[in-house]
Structure formats: structure tokens, C-alpha cells
Amino acid sequence: MSLSASGNQSEYPALGLTVEDAVTLPRIAIESVSPVLDEGRFAVKCIEGQRANVSAVVFTDGHEKLAVHLHWRRLNDSFWHMSPMTFLGNDHWEATIVPEQPGKFVYVIEAWRDPFATFQDELEKKYRAGVPITLELREGEQLVRAAAQSAAPESAQVLERVVAQMNAAHARDEQLAFFLSTETLETLREHGMRADQVFSRAYPLEVERQLAQFASWYELFPRSVTSEQTRHGTFRDVTARLPQISRMGFDVLYFPPIHPIGRTHRKGPNNALVAGESDPGSPYAIGSPDGGHDAIHPELGTLDDFIELVRQARRQGLEIALDFAIQCSPDHPWIKQHPGWFSWRPDGTIRHAENPPKKYEDIVNVDFYQKDSVPDLWLALRDVVLGWVQRGVTLFRVDNPHTKPLPFWEWLIADIRADHPNVMFLAEAFTKPAMMARLGKVGYSQSYTYFTWRNTKYELESYFTELNEAPWRDCYRPNFFVNTPDINPRFLHHSGRPGFLIRAALATMGSGLWGMYSGFEICESAPLSGKEEYLDSEKYQIRPRDYNAPGNIVAEISRLNLIRRQNPALQTHLGFQAYTAWNDNILFFGKRTDDLSNFVLVAISLDPHNAQEAHFDLPLWEFGLPDDAHMHGEDLMTGHTWTWYGKTQWMRIEPWHMPFGIWRIRPAS
Ligand SMILES: O=P(O)(O)O[C@H]1O[C@H](CO)[C@@H](O[C@H]2O[C@H](CO)[C@@H](O)[C@H](O)[C@H]2O)[C@H](O)[C@H]1O
């Protein structure tokens, strides 16, 4: 395609215009529309019931006043909501919308020249300056009559009433009151002519449940919910453990794959390439003669047990999240039923999967673009998700989504959410930033992050700040997992209990979304030969645990989750602001709601071994207070309260007591 081939230069005004084209171009400019992602190619993320601010720079030639409206609606509704946009000065306009349910929405900005507003403004200035206004009053009359004459049928009656009102105003004061009234202005704005009317393009918004932004995830392997390594845990055992998990304040209970596990190339303990007869294998090796992605591993129980578990979990305030791992053990039924969905090598084998440098010898990948795969494989995978949705599952953690095609995700997520807007997807992607962001743009409601590898004050401050800025804030919600079955963070190998508390505080205070893989609460950290992997990982064997083991941090985790529930400022990663504490081992930051009604200060020592002290700045300026003002403080871990006098304060953190402080502040009255 070339410009000369299309022959239509007006599509590219910057390259030159004919006069015929120029006279048809809009006279009003709408620029810098926000929020917008990639010029509207992708939807900006919003949360149901929460305010979304829409702003734009709107201007025209000359001095005439403009009127600017924001129109928005749910994609499939015919009714448009309308809010006038407020003029903020310097051509900036803003309006707020509050979408009430999850789903896809669009918004459009409309602008036009508003002759009556221009007239009213001039009339008022001249009147106040004592300049003669007789002629102006006559011009006003003309304007109102012209508006009534050219009114659309649905506005005619309203404008006739306005004309009648004007005719009834005989005394000069009455006329002035009529022409300067807000009511006259608004009626004419709504029903009068819209000169040079222009519309922006429609911009999409994706509205999700609050759980998309604020949720505490707990991960466990159902087979390990048992008292002995030789007895496979079941869904019924998990059901019995639900109250314990719910009491810790979690909202989501996430399971690695629960499907039948293959036998061919099954892995043994510690990723051994050969498994013993009784080794259970990696649950990610999905598929056996017992079924594939839509079946349940027989040793976990029945489908009814699973459905009952989902029901019981809901009763205790927990949603179940399932793993969606698009890969097959060589024993998966699809390999025989749909050989055309895989790419075969000349020797009749399928290449095993990998995520370099990791090798997954017990699984193979499907091929999304084989002749037989399009669209049958895509539809089959969609039906797998739908099947679990029909069984009550609303959350899916997707394994390695960055190794599958982006168009597939964009289609699948939109297709599922069109009928089930409550369903959400968490991307288990650890890859380059562009792909991490793009997964959010194509529909993932939240994502794993680099948090696990950010340890120093500089790293944490920069990372938390970056996530608050464009483009991340519009497309990416970070779920801070403190550990996963694949990540036994090096920091925890030798940090002892204080290190676990440090990471828990960073995750719970840093983002509205955080996650923990079981074992963290009893400070498990034994690594596999210096690697970031767990020794005797539960990915390859059953691992019973004593959750009451001495030194556990169950009480602290429960408290942190409670603090999050009680403080709206902590229910999102947005609103983060780093503050000054004069010590590189102490991260000090604030989280606050827009109206400052909830303001939480967090000080976390990054040193699990030594006491750390610092002078720090109490952010009085955020409340518009002078440096000598008083501030009320409340320790949210202990309930202790006090008053701070003045901006410069001092703290000491002893990790063996509590390696962090969480203080709710408000101006002392
Ligand atoms: O590749 P990631 O680091 O994102 O890890 C995820 O995907 C892996 C493949 O599904 C998965 O790996 C585990 O399952 C494999 C298949 O059974 C097995 O070969 C690996 O040894 C095992 O670690 C990983 O757990 C998951 O988080």
C-alpha cells in the first residue's frame, strides 16, 4: 500500500491538503485525551464503582467559548450517559465517570463553539466594567431567537419557553438577570445550535471487579493437604482447611493444575528425569488416559467434590483460582485425538517444551497455527475455560502466557468475558517489559511481576514508582507474589523469620494484589543447591506441613491482610509515594486515597539482621500543613496511638521485634 496508490491525501493531512479538504476539517482540536492506551487500540483498565477521570485539551481559534461533553456507555447498551466536562483553565477539560458494573465501556468527547456562553461572558464583563450594554442585550435577543428558530424538533418546545421568558423580561434588570443566568446558559447549551461540533474517536475502557485490583492470593497443592507423605491429599482435605486460610484474610485460593498427570517422562523428586513407581509427577504434565484439561486427577476426588469445594470456599469468602497451563503430557488424549494440533518432527516425536534455560521434558506444546489447529484448537481451549467457569471457577492463573500467541489471548479473554464479565485472568509471565505490558493490554487483569527480585531501597522505590506511571498504570496490575513453587527467593535463604516479615510487608503494602505460596507462613526456605528453587519441591512430591510450627508468621500475615481490608489506600498499587528517611536500609513511603481521608505511612527495614535508625520527614506538606504542625499517628500492627510534633522525626527498627512500621496518620485536631 502506498499513499499515491490510495490516491487519498486527505487521510494524511500532515502530508498536504487541497482547499476542498481543508474546509471540511474540524475547527476545534481535541488533543491529549486521557486515559487512552496506544491511541485507543486497547482498553484502559478501570474498576467497577470507582471514579475514572477523563481529561482532554480542547481548543479552537479566536476567543469564542467552547462547550465540552463526555459521553459514555456500556458497549452493548444503546443509552449514552453524558457529563459536561469542567474547564480547568489553559484549554484543559475534565469529567469523572463511575462505571457501575464490569464489562466493556466506550467514551467519546464532544465539543462545539458555544455562542451564548461567549455572549454571556462578554456581557458580564462589560456590565461589571460599567460599559453601555444596550446593543449587547439586543444581540442576546437575536441569539436566543436564532437558537429557537433552528432548534431540532425535540428541543423546539423548550426553546420556545425560553423565548417566552425572555419576552416577559421588560425591565433592564430583568433582562440582565435572564441573560446572565446559569439556567439560560445551560438550556441553550443543551438545546441550542452546536456550531462546529466535533467528536473524538471512541475510546475503550475495560471495567473489572474490585478483586482485579485488591485481592490476597494463597497458593497450595491440594495433594499436599495431608498428614503423611504417603497419603495423597484430596479436595475434601482442602475443604477442611478452608477456615484456616480464610482466617488469615485471603480472598483467593489458587491451585496448580488439578488434572490427570501423565506417566511418560514423568519427573521424580527434585526435577529428576526418571520417576519412581510411586512418585506423583508434576501436575503441570497434564493429561493421561484419565482425561485432559477438562478432567480431574482421580486421586484428588470427584468433580462433585471439586464443585462442593468451590461452594464451600465461596461461603468463607474465598474464590478458587485454577491454573490454565496450555501444554500436554505425551499421554494427553488430544495427542491421539488431534495429532494435527501439534508439530511433529521427522522422527515422529514432538519437541518437549521449555522456557530457556528451564527444560520441561515431560510436556509438549500445542501449535496454534497448524492447519488443523485454526480454529479448532482455539475453540477447544476456550471450551476448557468455559467448562470450569460453568463449574463455578471465576479466576484463572495462566501458565507462561507469553509463550502463546497474543491474538489468541485477546480473542479468548474477550470471548469469555463477554458473557462472564466476572471472570479474570492472572498472567504468570516473567519476561521482557513490553510483553508483560501487552498481556495486560490484551485482557489480563493482573500479572506476576519482578517484585521478587527487587531488594534494595533504590530498586523497590523505582519499581513501585514505575508501576504508578503511564503506561503501566493503565494496563498492568501487579500481583506481588512473595514466593512461588518456582521461586524460593535468595533473600529468604538466610534472612530468617524477619526476612519473611519484610517481604510480606513489602508485598501487602506495595500493591493491592499480593500472593503467597504455602510454606511461606512457616518460613520455609531450604534451597536446592544454592538455586532459587525449593529443595524437595512440592512440584514433584507430596509435602505435608505443620502450619503451627514454631516461628510461624500466621498472626502477622493475618494482621497485614486485615489492615489492607480496613484501609482503602492499601487496596491498590496506585497512590504510592516515596518519602525521605535518611538510611539506605529503610524504605519509607506513603499510600493515600485521593481525598486524603485514608493516609498510611509505611517504614520497612530491608535489613533482617541488624537494628536500623533514621531521621525521616513526616509528609505534613501533603495535607497543606506547615513544618511545625502536629500529626496524629496510629500503629496499625499494635493499635498504639501518639502525636508527632513537627516535620523531622526519628525511627528505630529492630527486626527481631518487628522489621516494619505501618502508621495511619491524620492532622491532629
Ligand atoms: O516456565 P515458568 O518458569 O513460567 O513455570 C511455569 O511453567 C512450567 C511449565 O508448565 C512449570 O514447570 C513445572 O512443570 C513442568 C511440566 O510438568 C516440569 O517439567 C517442570 O520441572 C516443573 O517445574 C512451572 O511450575 C510453572 O510455574
Side-chain angles (χ1 to χ4, degrees), residues 267 282 327 355 358 360 362 399-400 428 486 539-540:
K267 290 194 169 177
S282 158
Q327 60 216 20
N355 184 8
K358 298 184 195 171
Y360 307 136
D362 51 346
D399 197 53
N400 279 324
E428 189 254 355
D486 294 320
K539 288 188 290 185
Y540 316 101

Side-chain angles (χ1 to χ4, degrees), residues 35-328:
V36 170
L37 253 183
D38 294 0
E39 296 173 353
R41 163 69 178 83
F42 298 108
V44 167
K45 294 194 184 312
C46 302
I47 297 290
E48 64 174 325
Q50 287 186 9
R51 295 152 53 96
N53 286 341
V54 175
S55 62
V57 171
V58 186
F59 57 98
T60 188
D61 54 284
H63 302 290
E64 208 156 324
K65 297 269 171 209
L66 295 180
V68 185
H69 279 179
L70 175 68
H71 302 271
W72 55 287
R73 66 172 163 108
R74 222 182 136 91
L75 191 59
N76 296 324
D77 288 354
S78 51
F79 177 75
W80 285 90
H81 302 265
M82 190 283 285
S83 321
M85 294 186 77
T86 307
F87 181 60
L88 303 177
N90 199 18
D91 299 328
H92 285 67
W93 297 77
E94 188 182 72
T96 298
I97 61 181
V98 185
E100 294 298 346
Q101 330 94 329
K104 291 196 185 305
F105 286 72
V106 283
Y107 72 87
V108 171
I109 294 173
E110 177 196 13
W112 68 96
R113 291 161 85 96
D114 185 346
F116 190 81
T118 310
F119 156 77
Q120 194 182 68
D121 182 56
E122 282 174 13
L123 177 67
E124 187 168 7
K125 282 182 189 150
K126 287 182 181 169
Y127 171 65
R128 289 197 191 290
V131 173
I133 53 167
T134 317
L135 199 54
E136 275 69 20
L137 293 178
R138 283 180 53 198
E139 280 171 353
E141 239 181 274
Q142 268 178 6
L143 263 180
V144 174
R145 287 192 205 290
Q149 275 156 20
S150 60
E154 63 278 11
S155 295
Q157 273 193 355
V158 181
L159 290 180
E160 272 160 30
R161 278 199 297 276
V162 176
V163 171
Q165 240 180 311
M166 178 174 76
N167 291 342
H170 297 298
R172 202 178 94 118
D173 282 357
E174 287 169 351
Q175 288 177 335
L176 259 176
F178 168 81
F179 284 121
L180 292 181
S181 91
T182 311
E183 195 191 329
T184 312
L185 176 72
E186 282 172 0
T187 311
L188 280 160
R189 182 172 286 157
E190 194 183 333
H191 297 280
M193 292 171 294
R194 300 200 169 181
D196 297 307
Q197 183 186 38
V198 63
F199 291 92
S200 73
R201 57 163 296 179
Y203 295 102
L205 299 174
E206 182 77 50
V207 180
E208 292 178 276
R209 297 190 278 153
Q210 229 226 336
L211 210 66
Q213 179 174 278
F214 173 49
S216 307
W217 287 54
Y218 186 85
E219 173 176 6
L220 63 73
F221 284 63
R223 69 185 184 193
S224 287
V225 185
T226 170
S227 46
E228 303 140 53
Q229 201 172 11
T230 49
R231 187 180 79 77
H232 197 287
T234 65
F235 289 139
R236 290 182 182 203
D237 294 313
V238 178
T239 305
R241 234 204 115 197
L242 290 173
Q244 223 181 355
I245 298 164
S246 166
R247 270 199 305 276
M248 278 193 281
F250 288 97
D251 315 289
V252 177
L253 175 58
Y254 149 54
F255 303 144
I258 55 169
H259 316 300
I261 297 172
R263 192 20 92 186
T264 307
H265 306 311
R266 178 176 281 191
K267 290 194 169 177
N270 291 309
N271 207 11
L273 289 182
V274 182
E277 201 40 47
S278 59
D279 289 332
S282 158
Y284 286 92
I286 297 171
S288 82
D290 290 316
H293 287 74
D294 48 4
I296 280 178
H297 184 59
E299 288 182 88
L300 288 171
T302 64
L303 184 55
D304 284 346
D305 293 341
F306 176 74
I307 291 172
E308 179 59 13
L309 164 60
V310 172
R311 213 170 61 84
Q312 291 294 341
R314 262 191 199 276
R315 288 180 61 180
Q316 303 189 41
L318 285 161
E319 279 186 47
I320 298 295
L322 285 191
D323 216 307
F324 185 39
I326 304 180
Q327 60 216 20
C328 299

Side-chain angles (χ1 to χ4, degrees), residues 505 509 556 559-560 562-563 566-567 570 599-603 631-644 651-654 657-666:
M509 299 296 110
E556 289 81 355
R559 183 81 194 174
L560 287 167
L562 180 70
I563 292 172
Q566 292 173 340
N567 289 276
L570 302 174
F599 202 120
V600 179
L601 285 178
V602 182
M631 187 64 81
H632 183 269
E634 178 187 358
D635 185 324
L636 296 178
M637 289 299 283
T638 62
H640 174 67
T641 60
W642 64 90
T643 302
W644 265 310
M651 67 172 109
R652 175 180 166 85
I653 300 184
E654 296 177 342
H657 287 133
M658 190 60 80
F660 57 84
I662 303 171
W663 310 313
R664 183 161 53 204
I665 57 168
R666 62 178 163 78

